[in-house]
Amino acid sequence: MIENTFGINIIPDNDSGRLLALKRYRIMDTPSEASFDNIADLCTKIFKVPISLISLVDAERVFFKANVGMGKVKEANRGKSLCALAVLDPEVTIFEDALKEPCLIANPNVAGEFGLRFYAGAPLITYDGFLIGTLCIIDQQPRVFSKEEEIILKGLATAVMDQIELRLSALEEIGKQQTTNKELIQQKEEVQSINEELTVINEELNESRQNLQMLNENLKKSEKRFRELIEQAPVAISIYSGEELIIEAANAHMLDLLGRTAEIIGQPLLKARPELITHPYLQVIRGVLESGKDHIGLAVKAPVLRLGKIVERYYDVNYRAIKDEWGKVTGVIAVGIDVSEKIASSLRETEMAEELAVMNEELLATNEDLISSKDYLMIVNEHLNKSESRFRGILQQATAGIMVCYGKSLIIESVNDTMLTIISKSKDIIQRPFADAMPELKGQPFLKLLDDVYTSGLTYIANETKVIVNRNGELVEGYFNISYQAIKGDNELITGILIVATDVTQQVASKKAVQKAEDMLRFSIEAANIGTFIINQTTRVMVASPRLKEIFGYYPDEEMPYDAAVVQISEEHREHVLASVEAAFEKGEDYFLEYSLTGFHDQQLRWVRAVGKLNQYTADGEMYFSGAIIDITEQKQDEQRKNDFIAMVSHELKTPLTSLKGYLQILEQKAKKAQESSAILMHDKASTQVKRMISMINGFLNVSRLDSGKIHIAKECFNMTSLFKEADEEACSTISTHQVVFSQIESAMLNADRDKIGQVINNFISNAVKYSPSGSLVTVNSKIIGRQLLVEVKDQGRGIKPEDKDKLFDRFYRVVNDDVISGFGIGLYLCAEIIERHEGEIGVESKFGEGSTFWFSLPIYEN
C-alpha cells in the first residue's frame, strides 16, 4: 500500500495507461543487466555523485533495474521514493537542496539517517508518451545542477529508454524464433508422417503386387490346364465370346470338324463359317448367349466345308453358357461329336454320351474355377486400384517433385507433374531406366549417389545442390533440394528408391544477386569513404556505420545515440538539421543539407554534406530514415580560401580604380575646357571600362559577402511602379545601342530589398543588351499572377543552347557565344541568390536562335 510522504498528489491522471505501458516491456523484477548497470555507473562518473539509479515506478512500489551506490536494495515504497515525483513531469526533476523543499521535509529519505540532500531524475518516456520510470542521481550533499548537466542526464535517460526498447525487441524476436522453430518442427513431423504414409503405401503396393503376381500365376495355370483339357479332349470343342461370337479357342478336333485351320481363332463365327448364316443352329447358339440356358442336340445335321465343298454331317452337340461373377452370359462353349459314320451304333452313342457327360462335368468344374479366380482377382484389383489411386493422389498433390524407381536399374515406376516440370520431361519416361531417361546426369555425381543409396539403404539429403539439367534441349545450371530414400519390401530388402526434389534455382539466384549487390554497395560506400545511418521513425534509435562515428568524433566500437550525435552539430545549424529530419519523418520530404559539427573526442571542426530519405522495410513494417554523410571539410576550406582571396584581391583592386576614376574625371574637365572632342571620346571609353571593372569587382565582393553570410537584405514596403520608372530612366541615359521598352507593366506592393531587386532588373537588361544585336528591341513586362508579381525581360538575341540553360545561374558559369566567353559568371548567380532570399523564383525561357526571356517572381505584400 502507498504511504504518501510528500503531502501532494503523486498519482497522475493517466496512471492506469502508464502502468499498462510499463507492463508491456516485461522488465519488472528482472535480474541486473550490464547495459543498464553501465549507464548507471557512467552517471556516477559523469556527475561525480555516489548514487545513481534506474528506477521503474509500479502501482505501489519502485523497482531498481540498476543500482550503483545503494547496496543490494531492489525496490522502495512509491510513496517514499522521490522517483514517484519524477514521473509526474516530462522534464528533469531537480532538488538541489532537499531541506528547502516543502514537499520533502517529511520524507524519511531526507529527514532520516540516509540524509538525502540532492536529487535529479530524468523520466524514462515511452514512444507513446508514458513516463514509466527515471534515471536519477542522488547525493547527500547539496549541489548546483547546471543546464548542460540537465541536458546530458536527459540524453542518458533517452539512452536507457532505447535500451529498454531494444530489450523488448530482442524478447519479441526470440518469441518469433521460437514460433518459427515450432512451425519447423511441425513441418518436419508432417514430412515424417508423409514418409511413413508413403512407406505404408509402398508396403501395401508390394503386398498387392505379390498377391497379383500369385493370382496371375494361378490364372495362367488354370488357363493352361483349361487349354490342355480342350486340346486333349477327344471331342471337338470351341469357345465363342461376345455378341459377334468371336472364336476364342478351338481344338484340333473342332478345326478338323469345321474343315478350317487355326487362323480362324480370333474371328467372328460367321466370318469363319459363312455357311451357317441360314442354319437354324446359329439361332440356337444366339439363344444360349441371350437366355443363358444350355442346349443339347443329338444327331444334328450341319453343313461342313470339306475340300472346298459343303457336305452334310451329323453331330451330337452341347452348347453351354459361360457366365461372369454377376451371372451375365459372356460366351458359349460348344462341344460337338461327329456321329455321321456311327450314328447307327447305339453302343458308340452310349459311350460318347458318357464321355460327353464326363467332359461336361470337367468343363463345369473348370468354369467354376475360372469364375472363382475372376472373383478373387476383381477384389484384389479393386484394393490395388484404391491403393494406387491414393498413392498417385499424394504424389500429384505434393508441392515437391516426386519420382518412384524400382529395381537395381531404377526403372521409373511413377512420377508426378511437379517432377516432370523440374526435369523438363514428359510421361514417356515411365518404365524407362532412370539413367536412360536422364542422360544429362552422366558425368555428374547423382547416378553414383543413387546406386550408393540402393546398395546401403542410407538416405541421402542435400540442399541447394547444383545440377546441370536439360531445359528445352539446352543444358543449363540449376539448384535443387534433393532427397534419395530407399524403398524396402519384405525381409527389409531394397526394391527401389523414392526421389524427392525441389527447384530452388530462383531462390539461390536471388540470394547471389542480393549478396552481390550488398558487396558492391559495401565496396562503393567504403571506397567513397561515406558514413551511413538508419534511424527508426518510432523509437528514434539510430544505427551508425564506423565511418559515420569517425566523422562525429566517436570511436568505431563506441555507441553513438541519435541525441548524442545531434549535440555535436554546431548551434547555428542544429535547429535547421532537426527540423529537416522531422520533416522527413512526418512528411516524407527528401533530406539534403550541409552543416558543421564538432567531433566528440577530438573536438575537430568538420563540414559535412548529408542526404537521406524515409523508407519502409517490409521485414518488420517499420519506417526508417536512412542516409549517408560525406566529410566535405577540405572542400569547404578550399572555397573559403578562394572567397578570402577574391575578397582580398577585390579590395586591393578597388583602391587604384578609385584613383584612376578620379584622374579620369580631372582629364574630362580639362578636355571639355580645351574642347578636344577626341580626348572626350577617349575619356568616355576609358570611363566605361573603369565602370565595367568596378561592377565586376563589386560582384566578386558580393559573392564573398554572400558566402560569409555578410550580405544584408534590408526589406521595406514599396510600390514597383517607382522602381520600374528608375530602371527606365537609367536605361534611357546609359543605353544608346538598343531600344529598351517598358510595356504592359502591372505594378504591386512588395516587401523586399528595393536596391537588390533593382540590381536584378538592371542585370537582366544589361545581359539582354550584351547578348543581342545592336539596334534590336529589349522589352520589360510585368503582370500579376495570383499572389505573385512576375517580371520578364525579353531580348532578340541568339538565345541559349539547351545544355547551358540548367547551369546558367550557377556561380562562375559562363556561356560561350561566338567562341567568346563574356563576363565571369557572377551576375546571374547573384540575381538567383537575391531572389531566393526573398522566397521567390527565377528562370529563363529560350530557344536557340530565337532570343531569350529572363524572369523572376516575388510574393505580393498583403496588409
Side-chain angles (χ1 to χ4, degrees):
M1 185 173 178
I2 299 177
E3 180 186 348
N4 190 345
T5 63
F6 300 107
I8 60 174
N9 181 26
I10 61 173
I11 306 300
D13 294 338
N14 66 343
D15 202 49
S16 58
R18 190 189 67 81
L19 293 175
L20 288 175
L22 173 61
K23 185 177 180 181
R24 76 169 173 244
Y25 289 102
R26 294 183 278 173
I27 195 171
M28 293 294 292
D29 300 317
T30 56
S32 298
E33 297 179 39
S35 57
F36 297 103
D37 293 342
N38 292 339
I39 294 176
D41 185 58
L42 182 62
C43 282
T44 61
K45 292 181 173 60
I46 291 175
F47 301 107
K48 298 179 181 179
V49 295
I51 299 170
S52 178
L53 303 172
I54 295 176
S55 65
L56 299 164
V57 180
D58 204 351
E60 297 183 357
R61 62 193 179 103
V62 177
F63 170 66
F64 300 136
K65 178 61 180 175
N67 175 355
V68 177
M70 287 282 287
K72 297 183 179 180
V73 176
K74 287 294 184 181
E75 61 179 42
N77 188 287
R78 181 175 177 181
K80 298 179 180 180
S81 174
L82 273 65
C83 295
L85 300 176
V87 297
L88 299 177
D89 190 343
E91 299 301 324
V92 179
T93 298
I94 303 169
F95 300 118
E96 294 182 336
D97 189 348
L99 293 178
K100 295 180 180 180
E101 302 293 337
C103 64
L104 300 181
I105 294 176
N107 185 274
N109 294 317
V110 177
E113 295 181 359
F114 182 71
L116 185 148
R117 292 295 178 269
F118 169 78
Y119 175 89
L124 305 179
I125 306 175
T126 68
Y127 69 87
D128 46 357
F130 289 106
L131 283 60
I132 62 172
T134 67
L135 170 64
C136 64
I137 54 176
I138 299 171
D139 201 346
Q140 293 167 321
Q141 300 294 329
R143 58 184 294 168
V144 176
F145 201 61
S146 67
K147 188 66 177 179
E148 182 179 2
E149 288 176 317
E150 181 180 341
I151 292 172
I152 294 173
L153 183 61
K154 191 173 183 180
L156 290 171
T158 302
V160 172
M161 194 64 226
D162 289 343
Q163 288 295 324
I164 294 174
E165 294 285 357
L166 288 173
R167 181 182 181 278
L168 178 60
S169 297
L171 290 175
E172 291 174 346
E173 184 63 27
I174 290 171
K176 291 179 182 178
Q177 291 179 357
Q178 290 175 345
T179 302
T180 301
N181 289 337
K182 289 180 181 178
E183 291 176 353
L184 289 174
I185 291 172
Q186 183 178 358
Q187 292 175 0
K188 183 177 179 181
E189 290 174 351
E190 290 176 355
V191 171
Q192 185 176 357
S193 175
I194 291 174
N195 287 336
E196 291 174 354
E197 189 171 0
L198 288 173
T199 302
V200 171
I201 292 172
N202 185 47
E203 291 174 354
E204 292 176 353
L205 285 173
N206 286 333
E207 183 180 352
S208 298
R209 189 183 294 112
Q210 291 172 0
N211 292 334
L212 182 60
Q213 185 176 0
M214 181 181 68
L215 288 173
N216 286 333
E217 290 175 358
N218 292 337
L219 183 60
K220 288 178 181 179
K221 289 179 181 179
S222 297
E223 290 180 350
K224 183 178 179 183
R225 180 186 175 196
F226 175 71
R227 294 188 182 277
E228 286 175 352
L229 287 173
I230 292 176
E231 290 296 332
Q232 295 172 9
V235 295
I237 300 175
S238 62
I239 299 176
Y240 308 108
S241 63
E243 293 181 356
E244 294 186 358
L245 298 176
I246 304 298
I247 303 173
E248 281 194 356
N251 63 1
H253 292 287
M254 179 61 78
L255 293 174
D256 183 67
L257 184 150
L258 298 175
R260 300 292 195 276
T261 65
E263 292 178 354
I264 68 170
I265 296 175
Q267 296 181 5
L269 177 60
L270 280 179
K271 184 177 180 181
R273 296 189 64 192
E275 65 271 21
L276 294 179
I277 190 168
T278 59
H279 198 281
Y281 269 85
L282 179 61
Q283 299 304 320
V284 173
I285 296 173
R286 292 190 180 280
V288 173
L289 184 66
E290 293 174 359
S291 66
K293 296 180 179 180
D294 298 341
H295 176 81
I296 297 176
L298 301 175
V300 176
K301 183 170 67 173
V304 178
L305 183 64
R306 297 284 180 150
L307 301 175
K309 295 181 180 181
I310 297 177
V311 298
E312 298 289 337
R313 303 287 292 176
Y314 291 89
Y315 298 91
D316 290 336
V317 295
N318 187 346
Y319 298 109
R320 301 186 69 88
I322 301 174
K323 301 178 181 179
D324 59 18
E325 61 271 24
W326 294 287
K328 182 180 178 181
V329 179
T330 61
V332 176
I333 297 177
V335 179
I337 302 173
D338 190 351
V339 295
S340 299
E341 303 296 334
K342 301 179 180 180
I343 195 171
S345 174
S346 60
L347 180 61
R348 180 59 180 166
E349 185 178 350
T350 301
E351 291 176 352
M352 288 297 295
E354 292 176 353
E355 289 178 358
L356 183 59
V358 172
M359 181 61 66
N360 285 338
E361 291 178 359
E362 290 182 350
L363 288 173
L364 287 173
T366 302
N367 191 33
E368 290 175 356
D369 289 342
L370 285 172
I371 293 173
S372 177
S373 297
K374 284 185 178 180
D375 291 343
Y376 185 67
L377 184 59
M378 288 294 293
I379 294 172
V380 171
N381 282 337
E382 184 178 355
H383 181 68
L384 181 60
N385 288 335
K386 289 182 179 179
S387 298
E388 287 182 343
S389 177
R390 183 185 179 195
F391 175 69
R392 294 185 186 280
I394 292 174
L395 283 182
Q396 289 302 328
Q397 294 174 18
T399 56
I402 299 176
M403 178 185 290
V404 178
C405 302
Y406 68 88
K408 180 69 174 176
S409 299
L410 297 180
I411 304 299
I412 300 173
E413 182 177 351
S414 59
V415 58
N416 68 355
D417 292 340
T418 304
M419 179 64 84
L420 291 174
T421 301
I422 289 174
I423 63 178
S424 296
K425 306 291 182 183
S426 67
K427 291 186 178 181
D428 295 341
I429 65 172
I430 295 175
Q431 297 304 319
R432 291 176 59 189
F434 182 83
D436 293 346
M438 300 286 292
E440 60 267 28
L441 295 184
K442 186 177 180 180
Q444 300 186 59
F446 305 104
L447 296 178
K448 176 64 168 56
L449 290 170
L450 286 167
D451 187 67
D452 291 344
V453 172
Y454 190 89
T455 303
S456 65
L458 299 177
T459 300
Y460 173 79
I461 298 175
N463 292 326
E464 297 184 1
T465 300
K466 184 172 75 173
V467 184
I468 305 300
V469 295
N470 190 325
R471 293 283 169 81
N472 300 321
E474 182 180 354
L475 294 179
V476 297
E477 181 182 283
Y479 290 86
F480 302 87
N481 294 340
I482 300 172
S483 171
Y484 299 155
Q485 181 178 351
I487 300 174
K488 297 180 181 180
D490 295 339
N491 301 322
E492 292 297 312
L493 293 178
I494 297 173
T495 60
I497 293 180
L498 174 67
I499 300 174
V500 181
T502 305
D503 190 347
V504 294
T505 304
Q506 190 64 37
Q507 294 91 316
V508 172
S510 299
K511 188 186 298 182
K512 288 183 178 180
V514 170
Q515 184 63 44
K516 182 178 179 181
E518 289 179 351
D519 292 342
M520 290 296 294
L521 178 61
R522 190 179 300 108
F523 174 78
S524 300
I525 291 175
E526 292 175 355
N529 212 14
I530 297 173
T532 60
F533 64 86
I534 297 177
I535 305 174
N536 185 291
Q537 183 187 36
T538 304
T539 64
R540 295 299 195 271
V541 174
M542 181 174 74
V543 178
S545 69
R547 173 56 182 157
L548 186 67
K549 294 178 181 179
E550 181 183 349
I551 292 174
F552 275 78
Y554 285 81
Y555 301 132
D557 56 349
E558 188 176 8
E559 291 293 329
M560 188 181 76
Y562 172 66
D563 290 342
V566 170
V567 174
Q568 307 308 126
I569 300 173
S570 302
E571 288 188 11
E572 64 267 26
H573 300 130
R574 189 179 302 155
E575 184 176 349
H576 182 51
V577 172
L578 287 173
S580 298
V581 172
E582 291 304 317
F585 275 127
E586 295 175 4
K587 304 176 183 179
E589 294 181 1
D590 289 343
Y591 174 83
F592 184 89
L593 292 177
E594 289 184 1
Y595 55 87
S596 61
L597 58 87
T598 302
F600 181 66
H601 289 298
D602 55 18
Q603 294 297 303
Q604 181 178 345
L605 180 67
R606 297 182 179 89
W607 277 89
V608 298
R609 180 179 294 118
V611 295
K613 191 174 184 181
L614 190 67
N615 298 289
Q616 180 173 358
Y617 284 63
T618 56
D620 54 10
E622 290 281 351
M623 299 295 290
Y624 290 85
F625 178 58
S626 59
I629 293 180
I630 305 173
D631 188 341
I632 59 169
T633 304
E634 186 175 350
Q635 176 184 341
K636 279 290 184 179
Q637 291 174 346
D638 289 342
E639 289 180 1
Q640 185 61 45
R641 286 191 287 268
K642 180 175 65 178
N643 291 336
D644 292 344
F645 175 76
I646 291 173
M648 178 188 70
V649 171
S650 299
H651 279 293
E652 293 297 326
L653 288 175
K654 284 192 73 174
T655 301
L657 281 174
T658 302
S659 300
L660 181 59
K661 186 176 181 181
Y663 293 143
L664 286 173
Q665 289 174 349
I666 295 172
L667 289 174
E668 181 185 17
Q669 294 174 359
K670 291 183 177 181
K672 286 181 177 180
K673 287 180 180 180
Q675 296 183 351
E676 296 181 3
S677 59
S678 60
I680 293 173
L681 179 62
M682 293 178 65
H683 166 268
D684 291 341
K685 291 182 178 179
S687 296
T688 300
Q689 294 301 319
V690 169
K691 288 180 180 179
R692 185 165 178 257
M693 182 63 74
I694 291 173
S695 176
M696 286 190 291
I697 290 172
N698 287 334
F700 283 125
L701 285 172
N702 285 333
V703 170
S704 176
R705 294 189 186 104
L706 190 66
D707 289 338
S708 62
K710 294 179 181 179
I711 191 169
H712 181 61
I713 301 296
K715 290 186 177 182
E716 59 178 301
C717 292
F718 64 93
N719 194 305
M720 280 293 292
T721 301
S722 59
L723 190 59
F724 284 136
K725 184 177 180 181
E726 291 178 7
D728 189 7
E729 292 173 352
E730 184 175 350
C732 290
S733 62
T734 58
I735 299 172
S736 59
T737 58
H738 293 69
Q739 281 186 289
V740 180
V741 177
F742 284 74
S743 63
Q744 299 180 4
I745 297 296
E746 290 186 32
S747 186
M749 291 294 294
L750 299 183
N751 184 25
D753 189 319
R754 192 175 187 280
D755 291 339
K756 296 292 189 302
I757 302 303
Q759 181 180 341
V760 174
I761 296 173
N762 290 332
N763 186 280
F764 278 7
I765 295 172
S766 175
N767 281 345
V769 170
K770 186 187 302 182
Y771 293 106
S772 59
S774 179
S776 61
L777 180 66
V778 176
T779 57
V780 181
N781 303 320
S782 69
K783 54 185 174 181
I784 297 173
I785 302 176
R787 298 182 179 180
Q788 299 282 323
L789 176 67
L790 176 67
V791 179
E792 299 176 324
V793 177
K794 185 176 182 179
D795 63 50
Q796 297 176 338
R798 295 185 59 187
I800 301 166
K801 296 178 181 178
E803 59 268 23
D804 292 326
K805 283 181 64 176
D806 294 337
K807 305 175 184 177
L808 206 58
F809 294 96
D810 292 349
R811 183 165 58 178
F812 303 130
Y813 185 78
R814 296 175 292 177
V815 176
V816 177
N817 202 348
D818 289 333
D819 299 326
V820 176
I821 302 176
S822 300
F824 289 93
I826 296 174
L828 289 177
Y829 166 70
L830 284 172
C831 290
E833 289 293 331
I834 290 170
I835 297 302
E836 182 179 347
R837 295 192 181 209
H838 282 81
E839 298 180 356
E841 296 183 6
I842 191 168
V844 61
E845 301 294 334
S846 180
K847 187 173 182 181
F848 189 65
E850 298 182 7
S852 304
T853 301
F854 284 82
W855 60 269
F856 69 85
S857 63
L858 293 172
I860 297 174
Y861 176 71
E862 297 179 355
N863 292 328

